[in-house]
Amino acid sequence: MRFFDPHIHMASRTTDDYQNMAAAGIRAIIEPAFWMGQPRTNVGSFIDYFSSLVGWERFRASQFGIAHYCAIGINSKEANNEGLAREALELLPNFALKEGVVAIGEIGYDEITPAEEFIYQAQLKFAVEHDMVVMVHSPHRDKKNGIIRSIDVALEMGVPPHKLVIDHNNEETVQSVLDAGAWAAFTIYPNTKMGSERMVEIVRQYGPERIIVDSSADWGVSDPLSVPKTAHLMKERGIEPAAIELTCWGNALEAYAQSGQIDVDALMQDAVIDQSQSYSDNSVLRGQQPRIDEPVKN
């Protein structure tokens, strides 16, 4: 079975993670821009970070047979540095419209401040103007009200509900997201947010329609194999195979293929890997024999 992890921060992960993810059946990922663990000090750090998402990480994933897409945006936590956030906003046209960018994200609220509101609305406006999918980060505190506000503002700004993905949901928020017509994504963390056991019960209760499973694995304690592990638990607990396929592959593909940046037919094929390639004269290998697959013959 193929898996799609539509929210994972691979800039914080290792090549071992890529190898293990590929071995577990993860065929495609989306890496949304996010807070890197400490405050950025100048707009140049955004330039370098966004450049890595559309460049180096895209290449690095390909070396292990994983299709890498990304979302570009100013994270809600960083919106509170108002001067720097406004500078970073000016970068959106330079990066968000590049090949492989499937959404504006992850954006939204953290503390629900006026600065966050301004940056959120500015990015929603950009997404509407360019007919883009939006990936929303929901706040860790007062989550339900934050999600309802995120949805209401996005719809008021003109984002169609079918192009709105609300992430970091839990049992309290899922109904509100589904009722709005948006996609409900769930972050599977080892100890917080949403665990695999709880995820199984959500799929059992609500069904698989517009439900998305992701890992949000990053620089903290997290698991880049959360999606396949959750799928395997679903199977053990008697969830129908079609529902597993939708929540761990098909729904994410449908939501983000609206970007026009995903070759769905290519993802259904086995990856062709050529590790003799380099990016800016850099390779993921350190003396190993490169894997070079024969091209697929039609």
Side-chain angles (χ1 to χ4, degrees):
M1 185 176 181
R2 290 179 173 85
F3 300 108
F4 195 148
D5 189 340
H7 187 144
I8 186 167
H9 301 288
M10 293 308 296
S12 304
R13 310 302 304 194
T14 68
T15 52
D16 287 350
D17 292 320
Y18 272 126
Q19 288 176 314
N20 293 333
M21 289 161 61
I26 294 175
R27 181 68 179 87
I29 61 173
I30 297 172
E31 181 163 5
F34 86 135
W35 186 61
M36 291 295 286
Q38 67 180 32
R40 291 182 171 90
T41 58
N42 63 79
V43 74
S45 60
F46 278 100
I47 294 172
D48 291 339
Y49 175 56
F50 291 161
S51 296
S52 73
L53 295 186
V54 299
W56 170 244
E57 284 305 326
R58 187 171 169 84
F59 167 79
R60 197 163 71 111
S62 74
Q63 297 297 280
F64 300 95
I66 295 175
H68 179 286
Y69 308 97
C70 72
I72 296 292
I74 314 304
N75 186 271
S76 53
K77 192 174 184 70
E78 295 172 314
N80 290 297
N81 183 341
E82 296 185 47
L84 184 54
R86 288 172 182 261
E87 284 187 79
L89 269 181
E90 300 299 317
L91 301 175
L92 280 186
N94 298 333
F95 290 98
L97 305 179
K98 286 186 177 293
E99 181 180 357
V101 180
V102 297
I104 295 296
E106 55 184 301
I107 64 173
Y109 298 113
D110 184 43
E111 300 287 349
I112 315 183
T113 64
E116 292 170 14
E117 187 81 68
F118 175 82
I119 296 298
Y120 182 46
Q121 291 196 23
Q123 293 181 98
L124 291 173
K125 182 175 184 290
F126 183 92
V128 170
E129 289 173 348
H130 296 278
D131 193 25
M132 298 184 74
V133 177
V134 175
M135 180 195 292
V136 172
H137 163 91
S138 58
H140 302 297
R141 294 162 294 280
D142 198 15
K143 183 179 287 290
K144 185 173 182 178
N145 287 329
I147 282 180
I148 291 172
R149 184 186 182 108
S150 298
I151 294 171
D152 288 346
V153 171
L155 298 181
E156 289 170 6
M157 295 290 294
V159 178
H162 63 272
K163 288 200 169 182
L164 186 62
V165 182
I166 307 295
D167 213 335
H168 309 312
N169 281 281
N170 61 23
E171 291 88 347
E172 285 190 324
T173 65
V174 56
Q175 192 65 62
S176 298
V177 175
L178 295 177
D179 287 349
W183 301 87
F186 294 81
T187 298
I188 311 300
Y189 261 33
N191 301 303
T192 62
K193 296 187 180 178
M194 174 62 56
S196 295
E197 300 260 352
R198 291 162 61 195
M199 191 69 237
V200 172
E201 296 310 312
I202 284 175
V203 174
R204 196 187 307 280
Q205 179 178 351
Y206 292 95
E209 298 301 321
R210 285 186 283 119
I211 299 286
I212 294 172
V213 178
D214 63 53
S215 73
S216 192
D218 55 19
W219 35 255
V221 177
S222 49
D223 188 352
L225 301 182
S226 287
V227 175
K229 286 180 179 178
T230 301
H232 294 152
L233 184 61
M234 286 185 191
K235 182 178 180 181
E236 289 177 5
R237 298 293 171 84
I239 301 296
E240 291 294 324
I244 301 172
E245 192 275 340
L246 278 174
T247 56
C248 298
W249 172 264
N251 286 342
L253 194 56
E254 182 178 348
Y256 290 103
Q258 296 179 100
S259 66
Q261 291 292 322
I262 297 178
D263 186 338
V264 178
D265 290 338
L267 288 186
M268 298 305 295
Q269 307 298 319
D270 291 337
V272 178
I273 296 173
D274 182 358
Q275 292 182 335
S276 68
Q277 298 176 336
S278 63
Y279 184 90
S280 295
D281 296 323
N282 195 21
S283 167
V284 298
L285 304 180
R286 293 296 181 268
Q288 302 95 327
Q289 185 70 24
R291 171 180 166 181
I292 305 174
D293 297 342
E294 291 292 330
V296 177
K297 296 180 181 180
N298 295 325

